[in-house]
Amino acid sequence: MANPTAAMLVIGDEILSGRTRDANMHYLAGELTKQGIDLNEVRIVSDDAPAIEAAVKALSDTHDHVFTSGGIGPTHDDITADCIARAFGAHIDVRADARALLEVHYEKSGLELNDARLRMARIPDGAELIDNPVSTAPGFTIGNVHVMAGVPLVFQAMVASVLPSLTGGRPLLSQTLRVDRGEGDIAATLAALAEDFGDLSIGCYPFQTNGVFGANVVVRGTDGGRIDAAMIRLAKEIEL
Amino acid sequence: MANPTAAMLVIGDEILSGRTRDANMHYLAGELTKQGIDLNEVRIVSDDAPAIEAAVKALSDTHDHVFTSGGIGPTHDDITADCIARAFGAHIDVRADARALLEVHYEKSGLELNDARLRMARIPDGAELIDNPVSTAPGFTIGNVHVMAGVPLVFQAMVASVLPSLTGGRPLLSQTLRVDRGEGDIAATLAALAEDFGDLSIGCYPFQTNGVFGANVVVRGTDGGRIDAAMIRLAKEIEL
């Protein structure tokens, strides 16, 4: 059986302007790979309601799971929850269960639970809350979309809350062979290998270090024995 | 007049599997911001022909410029050029001008210009070559799509070749104010500021360092005077 598929939607002007380097995508990619869920696509859009709504709809229709990051804080540019609600045609307002979480948290911290902070309790009807052990304000899952914070520590905690509940597939395994030759020299060998091992993915990633060209050949798949077989043949054929 | 818009398409399994952290997106975002071209969307797809073709078409239709990275090397998984040609309904084959560049390069380096390396001279009819001062094999521009390599050094060199030929807009300027308070405390102030400065983008990016919560408020726009005015009001209202 094929692994479940996933897409990620990163929301935030600060990534697209080059101000911030996204860290969540790389993290999620690694976690999904371990769990046997195939991340097939990532989109990054700005804090723009129609763009967020259209992207969520498109990705939700074509993947088993969608993970979003960013735009669920207390400020005016945090519009993700409302956009997702619209994409699913769901009513959204401050919800009692989320509000209760925030009340306890701000009571303890001595900060005021003002209108801005209450925005973080806006949860669509029918959504399930995602636990946030770092800063309390929850994410949520609606349909096949998991809505999470953009701050990396919080994002990672929410991923840890969500992933155990998802049915994974066979973890993607990989082995890498570094070859200190130009990839043009080994391309024919790799093409034949990819042909004979159609169940594996054979990738070739060139690099250049101190003027020397080389390539990392990465063999990926879910069957460790097949990966071993491909690596043994590869090592023989390129005569390391 | 509004700035030209751009999208980026990153092609590569190695990014989606979490093996490699993409560096090109962050680089391009910074360069486009300097030139006054607004990067509105990024998509990352795997080495999958239908996915590449569909993404190029969608992005090309909705943005002034599309920049792609990855998948134009000599190996079997380098399928970008053929996908782009199909997206534009253009014929593609080894082209004499690109072949001539490779012949000189491999003659000099003493390496064989074999069939695999010749694949890097596959250029769609009607496309314009993009200079590659690092490793010779060219990128190309067809329609509004600029097709570039995934190796960061080569990608950056190609961006430097392409950008001067594009008409930019007014560079996006920004100023940042660090506030050592939770963003919930300043949210109402920011919302009112965003309302009164509709020509600027006011972003709020929370952080957590050693258990202390704070936020960076970033004010972006093309008019430096307006940004100054917004920052002065902001500093006053949150009483630093």
Side-chain angles (χ1 to χ4, degrees), chain A residues 96-207:
Chain A
D97 52 352
R99 184 193 182 115
L101 292 172
L102 295 179
E103 278 170 350
V104 171
H105 174 70
Y106 285 105
E107 175 76 35
K108 247 195 271 180
S109 65
L111 292 169
E112 185 201 359
L113 179 51
N114 57 20
D115 285 350
R117 291 192 169 113
L118 258 186
R119 274 172 57 80
M120 295 190 286
R122 288 179 69 80
I123 305 284
D125 287 356
E128 205 167 309
L129 300 186
I130 296 176
D131 200 27
N132 170 5
V134 174
S135 52
T136 305
F140 62 84
T141 294
I142 184 168
N144 63 346
V145 179
H146 312 284
V147 178
M148 301 183 289
V151 177
L153 267 182
V154 182
F155 179 80
Q156 291 169 22
M158 288 183 173
V159 169
S161 300
V162 167
L163 277 194
S165 69
L166 306 183
T167 306
R170 302 179 69 182
L172 192 64
L173 308 172
S174 72
Q175 288 188 42
T176 301
L177 187 70
R178 178 184 155 143
V179 183
D180 284 326
R181 287 154 70 184
E183 54 173 354
D185 279 341
I186 57 172
T189 301
L190 295 183
L193 191 72
E195 186 89 8
D196 292 346
F197 288 82
D199 54 326
L200 303 179
S201 142
I202 320 278
C204 186
Y205 308 109
F207 62 81

Side-chain angles (χ1 to χ4, degrees), chain B residues 80-100:
Chain B
T80 299
D82 283 73
C83 294
I84 307 265
R86 263 199 308 279
F88 279 90
H91 175 257
I92 184 168
D93 205 341
V94 171
R95 226 171 69 174
D97 52 353
R99 184 193 181 113

Side-chain angles (χ1 to χ4, degrees), chain B residues 96-110:
Chain B
D97 52 353
R99 184 193 181 113
L101 292 172
L102 294 180
E103 279 171 351
V104 171
H105 174 71
Y106 285 106
E107 176 76 36
K108 247 196 268 179
S109 66

